[in-house]
Amino acid sequence: MVVVTLEECVVFARDGFRWFCSTKSRPVSVAVILVFGAIKLHIYLSKRSRRKKWATAGRDVVVLHGFPRERFSPGTSPYVLKLETYLRLAKIPYVMDFTEPLGPKGLSPWITLNGEEFADSQLVIEHLGRQYNKDFSSGLTEVQRAVARTFNIMACEHLAWGLRFWRYSVDCCRGLIQSTSQVSLFLRLALFFLRWKVLKALWIQGTGRHTQKEVEHMVRQDLAAISHYLGEKPFLMGMEPCEVDCTMFGFLTQIMYNYPGSPYITMLIDDFPNLQMYQFRLRDLLWPDWNECLNPPK
Ligand SMILES: N[C@@H](CCC(=O)N[C@@H](CS)C(=O)NCC(=O)O)C(=O)O
């Protein structure tokens, strides 16, 4: 095995830099600087022209940036679906943008509203709720609000890791690729890097250190909690849908449509059928155009 010391790396970098700055390599250095400059300028100009276009969406119209529509559901990200479902529930006018899915925090979704950018599905929902004076949880008691928040966090910060574990580690993105309508070489490359990043995140967060059986058990517990609390009610907190239902819709939709062959879809079918009915109910209510939102549309 070849072992490279830190000292050798420093020497290599220093010599390389000296060569780059020397007169002998001037044509190469100039070419490299010009190419990088041209790429940076191109990125800057495209970003600026996209923002100009979004500004024409109209006053108080939300531009929702996310990943493209896919074959079996309107998207493969639970968070984008959560936010889009909320916009529909709140009847806030919006347009979708798929050209720049990653926002100022490097994640999807994010929105542009009247020229301002906001990121993170939860923070965006809270901001829009204040701006458009929509609070679907206002009829809930303090205790019910606490329960709704707990379920919301459980889905976004716990269940989500269990789902990522299956998608990126166990399934190696096969189900995700099946759900994707255009599998280009670029997409495969992007998925390769995303997978590497998510596996690292899974390890740091801790879920990646468990066995597959242990993670499955955790997901089952989460789904059981949602199923039992939902019971026979039409929506999680009662007779009317509220913000937390949008989150549940985002996650249940992923399991039902974009996790083929996973133990989670089997759990929904065999053990928690009320969760499937709940997803259908929300879908009928808020996504009457579901089929047109698939890619290709049905
Ligand atoms: N807390 C964030 C989570 C968003 C998130 O994790 N988005 C994923 C897609 S499901 C993403 O953009 N991943 C891209 C990446 O990590 O590079 C939210 O609620 O918006």
Side-chain angles (χ1 to χ4, degrees):
M1 196 172 65
V2 184
V3 178
V4 182
T5 64
L6 183 66
E7 212 174 303
E8 282 168 330
C9 287
V10 172
V11 171
F12 182 73
R14 194 194 54 204
D15 290 350
F17 184 70
R18 275 194 190 145
W19 178 82
F20 192 74
C21 297
S22 71
T23 34
K24 250 200 315 194
S25 69
R26 186 130 309 151
V28 180
S29 321
V30 170
V32 168
I33 290 169
L34 280 179
V35 168
F36 270 99
I39 292 173
K40 279 237 156 218
L41 186 69
H42 174 74
I43 292 174
Y44 170 76
L45 291 178
S46 335
K47 269 194 157 188
R48 210 174 63 166
S49 90
R50 283 199 293 267
R51 272 152 189 79
K52 266 194 190 154
K53 196 179 131 211
W54 299 334
T56 63
R59 177 114 203 115
D60 293 336
V61 175
V62 170
V63 182
L64 171 57
H65 310 279
F67 297 113
R69 302 288 193 215
E70 298 299 0
R71 290 173 66 200
F72 310 125
S73 75
T76 50
S77 160
Y79 301 98
V80 179
L81 211 53
K82 162 189 169 184
L83 185 49
E84 189 172 357
T85 306
Y86 170 79
L87 290 169
R88 286 166 173 248
L89 175 67
K91 297 194 170 61
I92 294 174
Y94 75 95
V95 288
M96 287 302 296
D97 163 64
F98 303 117
T99 56
E100 202 175 312
L102 302 181
K105 294 180 183 173
L107 292 175
S108 195
W110 61 291
I111 64 159
T112 308
L113 179 58
N114 301 327
E116 268 194 277
E117 298 177 359
F118 303 90
D120 188 278
S121 63
Q122 192 56 34
L123 293 182
V124 169
I125 288 177
E126 288 168 22
H127 175 80
L128 293 177
R130 285 190 297 272
Q131 171 132 353
Y132 290 82
N133 204 15
K134 308 263 180 186
D135 182 0
F136 295 96
S137 307
S138 60
L140 304 181
T141 64
E142 284 297 311
V143 172
Q144 285 174 319
R145 274 174 173 268
V147 172
R149 178 162 174 84
T150 308
F151 271 113
N152 190 40
I153 301 295
M154 184 186 77
C156 294
E157 309 295 341
H158 188 261
L159 176 67
W161 287 106
L163 299 193
R164 285 183 188 117
F165 182 88
W166 195 85
R167 179 177 271 179
Y168 294 95
S169 178
V170 181
D171 192 47
C172 301
C173 295
R174 278 186 287 265
L176 186 58
I177 289 175
Q178 265 183 48
S179 302
T180 307
S181 51
Q182 275 161 8
V183 189
S184 60
L185 189 67
F186 174 75
L187 181 95
R188 280 184 188 273
L189 201 67
L191 274 185
F192 174 82
F193 283 109
L194 180 64
R195 180 166 180 264
W196 176 78
K197 217 168 79 169
V198 174
L199 291 182
K200 208 168 88 179
L202 274 161
W203 184 259
I204 294 170
Q205 186 270 347
T207 303
R209 298 171 197 237
H210 300 308
T211 64
Q212 193 183 330
K213 253 194 149 44
E214 285 167 338
V215 177
E216 271 178 43
H217 172 72
M218 288 174 194
V219 170
R220 175 181 284 283
Q221 306 260 76
D222 287 355
L223 293 177
I226 306 167
S227 170
H228 293 148
Y229 193 76
L230 175 69
E232 300 291 310
K233 300 196 293 292
F235 302 105
L236 195 65
M237 302 312 297
M239 299 308 286
E240 299 297 331
C242 63
E243 290 83 353
V244 69
D245 294 299
C246 303
T247 304
M248 295 307 155
F249 185 78
F251 283 91
L252 290 175
T253 300
Q254 293 314 314
I255 300 179
M256 285 166 63
Y257 299 88
N258 300 319
Y259 277 69
S262 75
Y264 310 146
I265 176 72
T266 316
M267 286 177 200
L268 289 191
I269 294 169
D270 293 346
D271 305 316
F272 312 118
N274 68 336
L275 293 185
Q276 274 195 302
M277 294 300 138
Y278 170 52
Q279 195 276 350
F280 291 146
R281 205 172 301 126
L282 284 163
R283 197 181 103 168
D284 289 346
L285 181 72
L286 299 169
W287 288 84
D289 55 343
W290 175 272
N291 283 342
E292 289 109 81
C293 292
L294 304 181
N295 185 14
K298 265 198 193 159

